[in-house]
Each structure stands twice: as C-alpha cells, then as structure tokens.
Amino acid sequence: MNNALFPWLILVPCVTQYEIHQLERDQQIQLLDEITTISHFIDHHFNPDKINVGAIGNIVRQLHVHIVARNEDDPCWPGVVWGVKEHKSYSQQQVAVIAENLTNYLRQQTHLAYVAQI
Amino acid sequence: MNNALFPWLILVPCVTQYEIHQLERDQQIQLLDEITTISHFIDHHFNPDKINVGAIGNIVRQLHVHIVARNEDDPCWPGVVWGVKEHKSYSQQQVAVIAENLTNYLRQQTHLAYVAQI
C-alpha cells in the first residue's frame, strides 16, 4: 500500500472466490503460507510492535489479505488502519528498495514451491 | 461479541504466541480450519453479504481472530467494525440460541478432530 506511515503489504490470490472459507483447502494452506512468509518479512525488515492481518473486502470484493506492520507510535495506534485518512506517499526510490528487499527475501524461501518463479 | 448489530465470533487459540506467523505449522492449520468452520457456520446461520476476518491484537495482545458477519445495511458498512461505538446488547435468550446453534453445528463437523470433545 502506498502509505509510508504503515509498512503494509496486500496479498491478492489468483482465485475467483471472495472468502477464505470458500477456497479449496490446498488454496487455503498456500494463502496461510504466504501470510506467514510475508509476516516474517515484515518482522525482519520493519521490526514492528504488532502485525495486523485482515481479510475484509467490503469495498473491493476480490479476495485480498492485508498484512500491516503496526507500531505503538504510529498515527492510528491502537486503532486499525482501515478507513483512516492518515497518508504519506513513498518516493519511487523507497518503493524500489522495499521491492528489492522483498524479492530477495522471497528468493531465499526455497522451501516454498510458489516462489520458485520469482 | 456481545453486539447484536453484527454477528461476531472470536477464536482464542490456547497458545502463548501473539502472532499467527509465530505458530507452529500444525497450529496454524488448525486455526485455519477453525476459521473455515466458523465462517461456514456464520454463512449458514446469518447469510451475510460479506465476512470480515481479522487478527489485530493492538489492544488485547493474546492471539485472537475476529470473524464478523457484515451486511450492506449494517451501521458501519462499508467500514470495519473495530473501534466503532455502535452497540446493541443481546438478550440472554438470544445468546442461548446462538450458543445452541453453534454447538449443534460443531457437533456435526465430525471430520474435525478438535471438536470431538464438544
């Protein structure tokens, strides 16, 4: 998410279902593994006080999972980030650094079949 | 959750970790299965427009997962329910009916080892 106030990644599974419980079990487990991988990346790179994980989809129905790094001194703490107006854009350079760090991290997760094509 | 405006169940795994990605994989998969089971129960009994699933824990750190039935005519739509003040208590009778329906539903899920003791 282009909001530098909260490190915030969104998983968008390539599926047609709108809800996690509607997925086949192997799809659910892949999503679980992806949530785990991205949460570990966020822990490792941003060292947050808490990680918020949410599958909401009230506005954008396509299934997506928010994984948000939260800190006790961030502008919304202890409230949730969804629906808030606080915003600060990243620079292109900041986005490039995060993308490179994430790509490198995923490439190291060689036990995960679904990152083989990265 | 004692708020009749939103059918809202909370899973509280008997674990010491604060984050889903810190769980052992078998614990994660059990939690995934429990989320799926409760989401199906909510679908079946409340027929909502959307289900919101969230592991937040900014205020109460003990790991817990919210599963919330949302409807396009509910008081917070399309915003999230966390942190809102809209509230309407259930009667004791309403709580008893939901608890009985949930217990009966779980007893039918005989393929799930962890409901055997219910």
Side-chain angles (χ1 to χ4, degrees), chain A residues 33-75:
Chain A
D33 287 341
E34 291 171 351
I35 291 169
T36 299
T37 300
I38 294 301
S39 298
H40 279 297
F41 167 76
I42 285 176
D43 250 356
H44 188 259
H45 279 267
F46 300 103
N47 191 31
D49 294 320
K50 189 72 189 68
I51 292 180
N52 293 172
V53 179
I56 303 168
N58 300 346
I59 295 170
V60 175
R61 287 294 172 102
Q62 182 176 357
L63 180 60
H64 59 286
V65 178
H66 301 267
I67 307 177
V68 192
R70 302 300 310 278
N71 287 293
E72 293 179 8
D73 62 354
D74 76 35

Side-chain angles (χ1 to χ4, degrees), chain A residues 18-19 21 25 28-29 32-33 36 39-40 43 49-59 61 70 72 77-80 82, chain B residues 18-19 21 25 28-29 32-33 36 39-40 43 49-59 61 70 72 77-80 82:
Chain A
Y18 291 156
E19 304 276 7
H21 70 282
R25 195 155 187 267
Q28 289 183 332
I29 290 174
L32 173 69
D33 287 341
T36 299
S39 298
H40 279 297
D43 250 356
D49 294 320
K50 189 72 189 68
I51 292 180
N52 293 172
V53 179
I56 303 168
N58 300 346
I59 295 170
R61 287 294 172 102
R70 302 300 310 278
E72 293 179 8
W77 186 269
V80 297
W82 300 291
Chain B
Y18 291 156
E19 304 276 6
H21 71 280
R25 195 156 187 267
Q28 290 182 330
I29 290 174
L32 174 69
D33 287 342
T36 300
S39 298
H40 279 297
D43 250 356
D49 294 321
K50 189 72 190 69
I51 291 179
N52 293 172
V53 179
I56 302 168
N58 301 347
I59 295 170
R61 287 296 171 100
R70 302 301 311 279
E72 294 179 8
W77 186 269
V80 297
W82 300 291

